[in-house]
Amino acid sequence: MLNRSGRIDVSGTTLNGDRQRPASEAELVAAWLRQAVRRGPWRDSTGRTIAVIYPGRWTGLPGPDLRDAIVSIDDGPARRLDLEVHLAAADWRRHGHDRDPAYAAVGLHLVWELGAHPPAAGPPAIALGPALARAGGPVAADPSAREVLPCQRSGGADAASRRETVDAIERQGLRRHAERTAVLESNIAALGPDQALHLAILRALGYRPNAEAFEVLGGCVTSDLSETLAANGAAAGLAVLEAVLMGAGGLLPVQRRGPPVDGYARTLQRIWQSYGRLTCLHAADWTLQSVRPANRPTRRIAAAARLLSRAPDPGRSLVETVLAEVRRAAEASDPQRLQARFHVAEPPDAYWARHFDFGKPTRRPAPALVGAGRAREILVNAVLPFGAAMGHTLGDSDLPRASVAILAALPGGMWNQDSRYMVQTLGLERRGLGGATAQQGLLRLHRRWCRDKRCGVCPMARCAATAGVESAAAV
């Protein structure tokens, strides 16, 4: 069951010896999280033996119920899988998961019972009921029976211990910044500074679900083409660039089913058609699952058109303007002006202030196409690494130092499920971890070690070796 904070409440789980079915899928998830490692190895519907190293992480978001589970199949190497949980195996098809690409990565289907004729559709299933029912009595009612990671701790930490932990996290944040800088330095060498910055900004606009699609779009509508399209004058240039970006992304109503055609869409479609109908993506290439309506690809492309059509400082290219702003922000110890350059707001009566997609109006105005949080993400993920990379390229050591100084001065951006999970895992409070450097460190720890449960090689001092998990590094 779910408590008021949206977490699974395992205190009242009642799966007992009379084989009573759980009251909900949430109860079955809770039982799996507590019992999967101890009750295994399991056998799935295809006869394979499944040893559970880590039972997965429940996110409470649309899509698979459990993410990043780690298992060994038939004594093979560790593998990372997503898991879906239902009371009955037939629910996979009944809930439409066989037609939903969001569930394509699900490797195992956890059910209470398979039924007399388990459906052929869907991933291999594991029937949890027999093993959990044989346990007798309430399953894992004792909170101490929870699966605990080596770096988790209970109770508070003294100030020195917390400071040591925060310092270690921030060092990881600086490493993540250095890794991004190295990638952008390579892109600058291969593509030139203008296109490298162009791609970095577009990728940062896409969030994780659509970052790759935006990168493809940026390779099709290049920095040179964007500059040419935007050179028609302020309003006209913006309309032309937006139309070509939307059409190249395959998101105009004429290119897909569903969105009704309104006057604004017709105008963009006419412009796109007059500029050669450039197309490099289709609507199906974009991810909508778990994407808030305000962040839909159409709104992000509208934001990109506005960012890319903004005039740089007089007499300077966009690259030169960005580098000058990085220097200025570091000298003033104030990143607000630099951040404001990537904030995009529309007048309350503008089309994208009142629409989530073509023909889909909002209930109330949503004028920020790029708010303060996403503008900070663009700085952290694109602009600051680009500034440092240009410093290395030009032999200018001031630019890398300025980029690191701005990163240290930036407040944190939006907390996502990975950074929240790491704070909980490390037994910390968010207070004092709100800076951008620390948040980047939490993300690096999760994606390089914690996601695969490589506890034995994790740089956090409190992480102890966990038998059998190191092999997950090969996943």
Side-chain angles (χ1 to χ4, degrees):
M1 293 178 286
L2 308 183
N3 61 24
R4 291 182 181 178
S5 66
R7 300 182 183 278
I8 297 180
D9 182 357
V10 297
S11 60
T13 303
T14 54
L15 309 175
N16 52 46
D18 63 2
R19 294 179 180 266
Q20 177 183 355
R21 285 164 57 96
S24 67
E25 290 175 3
E27 288 189 357
L28 191 54
V29 170
W32 168 262
L33 291 176
R34 282 187 163 181
Q35 299 294 306
V37 176
R38 285 186 296 279
R39 298 287 175 217
W42 305 82
R43 192 171 294 276
D44 69 17
S45 55
T46 66
R48 301 180 303 174
T49 299
I50 311 295
V52 179
I53 298 170
Y54 175 67
R57 174 164 59 96
W58 183 81
T59 66
L61 298 174
D65 292 310
L66 294 163
R67 303 274 188 179
D68 299 332
I70 301 173
V71 304
S72 169
I73 299 176
D74 288 337
D75 296 322
R79 297 174 57 187
R80 191 173 62 237
L81 305 170
D82 290 342
L83 310 175
E84 180 64 8
V85 180
H86 291 117
L87 297 181
D91 288 343
W92 177 269
R93 176 169 286 176
R94 188 179 298 125
H95 292 181
H97 299 332
D98 56 323
R99 303 182 302 276
D100 190 339
Y103 293 83
V106 171
L108 286 170
H109 187 198
L110 308 180
V111 299
W112 178 249
E113 59 188 3
L114 288 172
H117 302 287
I126 296 178
L128 305 182
L132 295 179
R134 281 197 300 270
V139 173
D142 179 4
S144 66
R146 298 179 187 223
E147 298 297 334
V148 177
L149 299 176
C151 57
Q152 287 177 325
R153 66 184 184 203
S154 59
D158 58 51
S161 175
R162 177 181 170 80
R163 185 64 253 171
E164 180 183 350
T165 300
V166 173
D167 286 346
I169 291 170
E170 290 182 341
R171 285 195 295 272
Q172 293 301 315
L174 293 175
R175 289 289 301 276
R176 185 173 167 87
H177 172 71
E179 289 165 351
R180 282 211 173 93
T181 296
V183 170
L184 276 163
E185 192 173 348
S186 176
N187 287 350
I188 290 167
L191 305 171
D194 297 282
Q195 180 65 5
L197 178 60
H198 179 78
L199 288 176
I201 291 173
L202 285 175
R203 186 176 179 89
L205 277 171
Y207 287 77
R208 189 162 52 175
N210 287 308
E212 291 185 5
F214 262 100
E215 193 165 12
V216 172
L217 182 62
C220 180
V221 184
T222 63
S223 60
D224 289 343
L225 178 56
S226 295
E227 184 178 351
T228 300
L229 295 173
N232 292 277
L238 170 59
V240 170
L241 181 55
E242 182 178 339
V244 173
L245 284 169
M246 289 288 186
L251 292 175
L252 290 169
V254 73
Q255 298 171 291
R256 54 186 174 131
R257 299 176 182 176
V261 180
D262 53 29
Y264 189 83
R266 280 193 290 271
T267 298
L268 293 184
Q269 287 174 174
R270 284 197 298 269
I271 294 172
W272 171 68
Q273 290 164 349
S274 68
Y275 275 81
R277 300 173 180 261
L278 177 64
T279 304
C280 52
L281 290 163
H282 301 283
D285 295 322
W286 299 93
T287 297
L288 300 181
Q289 184 77 22
S290 303
V291 174
R292 293 191 302 115
N295 297 333
R296 290 176 71 92
T298 43
R299 283 178 58 85
R300 287 295 170 213
I301 288 177
R306 283 146 183 80
L307 280 177
L308 296 175
S309 64
R310 283 180 178 171
D313 291 347
R316 287 174 168 165
S317 67
L318 179 60
V319 167
E320 291 168 334
T321 296
V322 165
L323 296 184
E325 292 281 7
V326 167
R327 296 180 196 275
R328 186 181 294 116
E331 291 168 359
S333 299
D334 181 8
Q336 293 305 312
R337 175 172 167 169
L338 178 60
Q339 180 177 308
R341 181 171 283 276
F342 297 94
H343 182 271
V344 180
E346 291 281 86
D349 59 345
Y351 186 86
W352 290 114
R354 294 188 171 275
H355 288 79
F356 290 137
D357 201 345
F358 293 110
K360 295 185 177 180
T362 63
R363 291 186 177 180
R364 59 182 62 88
L369 285 172
V370 177
R374 178 49 43 178
R376 282 195 296 270
E377 295 295 314
I378 293 173
L379 294 192
V380 169
N381 295 319
V383 174
L384 297 182
F386 176 80
M390 281 299 293
H392 295 157
T393 300
L394 299 172
D396 182 348
S397 60
D398 287 341
L399 277 170
R401 283 196 293 267
S403 298
V404 170
I406 296 169
L407 183 65
L410 273 176
M414 298 163 287
W415 288 87
N416 63 22
Q417 58 177 304
D418 295 343
S419 54
R420 289 194 298 267
Y421 172 75
M422 289 306 303
V423 167
Q424 180 184 5
T425 297
L426 295 170
L428 299 171
E429 298 177 0
R430 291 192 196 179
R431 178 174 50 84
L433 284 172
T437 307
Q439 283 191 342
Q440 291 296 297
L442 291 170
L443 293 176
R444 188 173 195 269
L445 286 165
H446 178 263
R447 292 171 190 178
R448 289 184 67 91
W449 293 284
C450 200
R451 187 182 184 195
D452 289 328
K453 296 301 168 285
R454 298 172 57 206
C455 302
V457 292
C458 179
M460 301 304 291
R462 284 183 299 278
C463 290
T466 301
V469 179
E470 286 82 339
S471 58
V475 176

